[in-house]
Amino acid sequence: MLESKDVAAVIFHSPGFLVGINAETHSKLRYDATERWVPDAYKRMTDSIALRELAPKFDKAIGSVRTSFYNPTLAAKASTRVRI
């Protein structure tokens, strides 16, 4: 597979049960074939994995932004202002 692009294409595009490979091994072979024959796609795949790990951190960041911009004490003081 790492020496023949045709073999890599067959393994990549065929379902695992047709080539007689279990799902975990088939997934790894597809990943390895992408790394060898389509390096740009491989880079995008690894970048997407990094982004997936970053997403759960957004909730914490959103919560901290809200608390830094909104202060109930200051809001209460602002509501007592009188405009003329």
Side-chain angles (χ1 to χ4, degrees):
M1 179 187 79
L2 296 178
E3 296 177 9
S4 171
K5 195 172 191 176
D6 294 330
V7 173
V10 168
I11 290 174
F12 188 88
H13 293 291
S14 299
F17 67 89
L18 287 180
V19 290
I21 302 172
N22 70 32
E24 185 178 325
T25 304
H26 188 244
S27 178
K28 175 149 179 34
L29 288 174
R30 292 179 75 187
Y31 195 73
D32 292 344
T34 305
E35 180 181 15
R36 168 71 173 98
W37 297 106
V38 194
D40 293 337
Y42 174 77
K43 183 179 180 328
R44 286 181 284 195
M45 287 169 49
T46 55
D47 290 348
S48 71
I49 292 169
L51 287 175
R52 187 182 306 155
E53 294 169 358
L54 182 64
K57 298 177 183 177
F58 287 153
D59 291 331
K60 182 180 178 184
I62 290 169
S64 66
V65 168
R66 285 187 193 138
T67 58
S68 66
F69 283 108
Y70 179 75
N71 184 334
T73 307
L74 290 177
K77 287 181 183 178
S79 68
T80 61
R81 290 186 180 173
V82 176
R83 290 188 174 179
I84 299 178

